[in-house]
Amino acid sequence: MDVTTLYSESAEMACMGAVITGQYLTVQRIIDATDLWLERHRLIFATAQNIWSQYGEVNLMLLSDTMHANKTLDAIGGRSYLMALVNALDSERHTEIYAHMVKRVAVRRKLHEYTDTLDARLQDDAPVNDIINEMIADLKSMSAPDIDDHVVNFDASLAMTFDIVEQHRELYQQNKQYTLGIRSGLHDLDKLLDGFRYGDVNVLAGYTGAGKSAAVFTIALNAAARGINRQSQHGARVMVFSGEMTQFAMNNRIMSMSTGIPVQTIERGAFSDEQYAKYVSGFSQVSQLPLRFKRTTRLNVDDLPSLVEQEIQRNGLDLLVLDGILQLDTSAHADQDWLRINTIMESLESVAIDYNISILATHQIGRSGADGKPSLSDLKRSSAVEEKSARVMLLWKPDDNVPNEREIVVAKNRHGSPGVVPVFFNTNTTQFFSKQNSF
């Protein structure tokens, strides 16, 4: 088949018209430059991407002036062609329809091109499973969105909601103290939040030295021990990633929290006989928890959906803990933190919803937050953290003269009221406790 027939010029023109008239993000969420068949449309879209990364907007004047400065305006047909693109979009309401049309045709074209490479792949000496996995990944990357994947009839949606509410009613009758989400083990925080809910992104922010990593490790350990409180109490399945700490350091912190032995004692191996016996006993108990750590200190946010999907299939997953949002890598916008954070937060929100897990991530508070009680305005570099999170918690030290006291300010709570939760920080074991323990 001649793949050059697999494109729709009118749909591509309408999409480019949408990009020029302020709908770049709508189009960019559905297609990329490789989905466009005509070279001049690819050039326009690539230029629009660069403009967006610099200015955060795309319009006719910016695009025309940039392409003129780059000496590419004549190659796409000049300003008159840009005006023709604007006129090609009959209504802003149809932007997504045109974008999906371009995507579907592009997938068919790419599939035809892909089949031409199969013979060479099958003659390769690579292990068969590697070839299959590579092919599956390639095909997934080419998949086109389907309307039935995004829309559900209201009666079906309402029936599903009724079933969930009925389950919660039965839970309440069996255990009136049950927790809707995953428990943190910090009593007052659990009471305020009703646990970390599935499908939510939760952010714990704090300035350097406030104890963000220690707080999320405490929550991870507590959740893995008895984070699920429904018909019965049992551990939640937890996966932890830290871009700021080695696996050795994380393990030592977890063991210190579990045994009450100071972290420094464990790191140096400077045990008393009693401490060592306690350490060995604690080791066998902690090793049975449904708690897993990602080995590497680097993680690309583009790989996150695949990793979460594999973890769910192999071990199950309730809570994903990410220590350090800014430590996540992105394939785009590496030089601009605010755009990187937007990309990261959009990905985290998508993963939480699509895979129905709860995500707990740490972030940095700006310097102004260290001078007094922090607020949402102290979040560094991007409003996307606040916009995409169901809960934003701000950790700080109210009084420098009292090193063990901290407060968790719940500044945003999509499912309830904000509030302030006082907590105690054991500096020897790096463990947090509520004034009234949950367990």
Side-chain angles (χ1 to χ4, degrees):
M1 182 177 182
D2 183 6
V3 297
T4 61
T5 64
L6 287 173
Y7 79 95
S8 171
E9 183 174 7
S10 60
E12 287 194 9
M13 290 181 68
C15 283
M16 294 304 96
V19 167
I20 296 170
T21 55
Q23 296 187 79
Y24 167 76
L25 283 181
T26 301
V27 175
Q28 184 265 343
R29 279 196 292 265
I30 300 171
I31 68 171
D32 58 42
T34 65
D35 294 323
L36 299 165
W37 174 252
L38 294 177
E39 183 60 35
R40 60 181 172 182
H41 292 163
R42 292 189 180 198
L43 185 56
I44 291 169
F45 196 66
T47 305
Q49 287 178 308
N50 292 332
I51 293 172
W52 177 265
S53 67
Q54 293 181 53
Y55 303 106
E57 65 173 327
V58 179
N59 57 48
L60 178 60
M61 183 177 294
L62 273 174
L63 185 65
S64 176
D65 290 347
T66 302
M67 298 194 81
H68 177 72
N70 294 342
K71 302 186 184 308
T72 56
L73 186 60
D74 290 341
I76 59 96
R79 288 186 171 87
S80 61
Y81 187 71
L82 294 180
M83 285 302 303
L85 294 178
V86 172
N87 295 328
L89 179 65
D90 51 6
S91 171
E92 289 185 1
R93 293 178 299 170
H94 298 154
T95 296
E96 290 192 10
I97 296 174
Y98 286 122
H100 284 301
M101 288 173 60
V102 170
K103 185 69 176 182
R104 284 195 294 271
V105 175
V107 169
R108 290 181 180 275
R109 185 174 66 246
K110 291 175 183 179
L111 283 172
H112 279 286
E113 294 170 344
Y114 186 73
T115 56
D116 295 337
T117 69
L118 289 181
D119 286 342
R121 287 171 181 261
L122 294 175
Q123 293 174 19
D124 197 343
D125 291 333
V128 173
N129 282 342
D130 289 351
I131 296 175
I132 292 173
N133 288 334
E134 183 180 340
M135 291 172 64
I136 291 173
D138 289 341
L139 291 172
K140 277 188 175 181
S141 69
M142 287 189 285
S143 62
D146 188 282
I147 190 64
D148 288 336
D149 293 334
H150 300 277
V151 178
V152 62
N153 290 333
F154 182 63
D155 59 341
S157 176
L158 196 59
M160 180 179 63
T161 301
F162 181 84
D163 290 342
I164 294 173
V165 171
E166 185 64 20
Q167 291 173 10
H168 291 171
R169 176 176 173 273
E170 292 176 3
L171 278 173
Y172 184 75
Q173 290 176 340
Q174 296 170 17
N175 175 14
K176 288 184 170 53
Q177 302 302 317
Y178 92 94
T179 306
L180 197 57
I182 300 163
R183 294 194 298 175
S184 69
L186 304 175
H187 179 272
D188 295 331
L189 186 63
D190 289 329
K191 186 176 180 180
L192 178 62
L193 302 182
D194 205 4
F196 298 119
R197 301 194 189 188
Y198 292 88
D200 278 356
V201 177
N202 309 274
V203 171
L204 178 71
Y207 53 82
T208 302
K212 301 184 297 295
S213 296
V216 294
F217 288 161
T218 297
I219 292 170
L221 179 62
N222 290 343
R226 279 181 288 178
I228 306 297
N229 177 29
R230 298 212 160 192
Q231 292 96 335
S232 61
Q233 294 185 15
H234 59 274
R237 297 159 296 185
V238 182
M239 183 166 67
V240 179
F241 164 76
S242 176
E244 302 179 343
M245 200 174 297
T246 66
Q247 192 171 355
F248 177 74
M250 288 191 288
N251 289 342
N252 287 337
R253 286 202 176 196
I254 293 294
M255 287 304 301
S256 178
M257 294 175 188
S258 302
T259 62
I261 302 170
V263 174
Q264 190 173 14
T265 299
I266 294 175
E267 290 176 338
R268 291 176 54 82
F271 300 102
S272 66
D273 291 343
E274 181 181 353
Q275 285 176 327
Y276 187 66
K278 194 173 184 180
Y279 178 81
V280 172
S281 175
F283 183 88
S284 62
Q285 295 176 15
V286 173
S287 63
Q288 301 302 313
L289 294 177
L291 180 63
R292 287 166 56 82
F293 293 91
K294 190 176 185 301
R295 292 179 180 178
T296 60
T297 57
R298 304 306 304 174
L299 175 63
N300 193 303
V301 73
D302 296 334
D303 297 330
L304 194 58
S306 176
L307 291 174
V308 167
E309 185 173 330
Q310 291 180 46
E311 184 67 14
I312 290 172
Q313 291 173 350
R314 296 176 185 178
N315 305 291
L317 183 62
D318 297 299
L319 176 64
L320 174 63
V321 176
L322 300 169
D323 184 24
I325 290 176
L326 284 173
Q327 299 302 315
L328 295 171
D329 295 326
T330 58
S331 55
H333 312 309
D335 57 336
Q336 299 185 59
D337 278 346
W338 72 275
L339 284 172
R340 281 186 60 229
I341 295 174
N342 283 358
T343 301
I344 290 168
M345 290 304 301
E346 285 182 357
S347 179
L348 295 186
E349 183 183 43
S350 176
V351 167
I353 293 172
D354 291 347
Y355 294 99
N356 196 33
I357 63 171
S358 186
I359 295 178
L360 174 61
T362 64
H363 189 48
Q364 192 78 7
I365 284 180
R367 290 184 180 275
S368 60
D371 300 327
K373 188 174 182 178
S375 65
L376 290 172
S377 62
D378 295 320
L379 290 172
K380 258 191 175 180
R381 302 183 183 95
S382 178
S383 60
V385 175
E386 176 185 352
E387 293 171 0
K388 300 295 182 182
S389 302
R391 275 81 173 260
V392 178
M393 299 161 286
L394 308 174
L395 179 66
W396 76 303
K397 187 192 300 184
D399 188 346
D400 288 334
N401 296 319
V402 187
N404 298 110
E405 287 193 1
R406 299 287 192 278
E407 282 185 353
I408 298 176
V409 179
V410 180
K412 177 185 177 182
N413 184 4
R414 183 176 294 165
H415 306 297
S417 303
V420 178
V421 177
V423 289
F424 176 82
F425 179 47
N426 186 326
T427 55
N428 290 323
T429 63
T430 69
Q431 186 171 16
F432 278 81
F433 298 93
S434 185
K435 296 293 183 176
Q436 178 183 356
N437 273 333
S438 189
F439 300 152

